[in-house]
Amino acid sequence: METIKISHSLWRMLLLTFTSLVFVLGGFFMLENTNDGFHVVVAWLCIVFFGLCGLYMLYSMLKERLMGKPFMTITDEGIIIENAKQKVIRFADVESFELMEMSNQQFIAVHYKSGVEQQKLDEAGILGRSIRNLNRNLVNAQETFSTVGTDMKAEVLCELLNERLGYSIKGSNP
């Protein structure tokens, strides 16, 4: 089967970058027009936080568009998600994918096979175990990934992943 590459929406990334720039400029405007200590702290927090957010958006956009590293790559073997840290989800380890919604945001829950689920939990660090346990309590799956802002609808992506999963299972059992 063909490899499918999914990127973030270019317009959404540009909008978020522009919005971050507006908040940074607002922080500088606030610095210029106040001497109050509280407002100075708030201004600097705006400048630093939204400045870093804007830089991250620019970095992500350049990485996806110029370097050809999409947010998500779906192959015959699994999914590669490029975030701050690369995540690989092998179809051989997955039982199913499920579309979930929480706080008006859609994401995909990964239901691992029971042996793999315990292995992933054992391999995770303290923070990773906490996140996996929190996910388990919230959505009954150890791992999730967001579909917000991608150029493929969440329903279509979930259906595609389950189709690939079915193909992967049939392909490995002749």
Side-chain angles (χ1 to χ4, degrees):
M1 296 185 110
E2 78 178 85
T3 298
I4 298 172
K5 296 180 179 187
I6 301 169
S7 296
H8 286 103
S9 165
L10 179 60
W11 291 110
R12 182 181 172 92
M13 297 291 277
L14 287 171
L15 181 64
L16 289 171
T17 303
F18 177 75
T19 303
S20 293
L21 177 63
V22 168
F23 276 97
V24 168
L25 292 175
F28 280 117
F29 179 77
M30 195 184 302
L31 271 180
E32 290 293 317
N33 295 308
T34 188
N35 291 327
D36 179 29
F38 174 76
H39 288 100
V40 169
V41 170
V42 170
W44 276 111
L45 287 174
C46 262
I47 292 167
V48 171
F49 177 76
F50 288 105
L52 290 174
C53 288
L55 288 174
Y56 180 76
M57 290 295 151
L58 279 174
Y59 168 74
S60 295
M61 198 170 20
L62 292 173
K63 186 171 89 169
E64 287 183 16
R65 305 295 173 182
L66 296 180
M67 292 193 253
K69 288 193 171 198
F71 166 67
M72 184 183 305
T73 304
I74 303 170
T75 67
D76 290 342
E77 290 81 35
I79 310 163
I80 302 164
I81 300 172
E82 297 283 345
N83 247 340
K85 183 179 175 185
Q86 186 183 68
K87 181 190 313 187
V88 178
I89 300 170
R90 295 175 353 123
F91 288 134
D93 297 339
V94 176
E95 191 172 290
S96 67
F97 296 97
E98 181 181 7
L99 183 63
M100 306 292 287
E101 188 170 326
M102 185 177 290
S103 300
N104 294 328
Q105 289 197 15
Q106 291 183 317
F107 56 93
I108 296 186
V110 182
H111 298 285
Y112 286 108
K113 295 176 181 171
S114 59
V116 174
E117 194 169 90
Q118 187 59 47
Q119 176 189 357
K120 293 243 181 222
L121 197 58
D122 292 342
E123 290 173 354
I126 293 170
L127 181 60
R129 272 194 295 271
S130 298
I131 291 171
R132 287 179 180 280
N133 284 326
L134 179 64
N135 279 341
R136 160 96 25 237
N137 291 333
L138 288 174
V139 296
N140 198 28
Q142 270 193 25
E143 198 161 349
T144 60
F145 57 90
S146 176
T147 60
V148 174
T150 60
D151 54 11
M152 183 179 281
K153 291 188 181 229
E155 297 86 1
V156 174
L157 178 58
C158 189
E159 187 176 312
L160 175 73
L161 291 174
N162 279 312
E163 283 176 15
R164 285 282 174 113
L165 180 60
Y167 172 77
S168 174
I169 292 170
K170 289 176 188 170
S172 65
N173 295 330

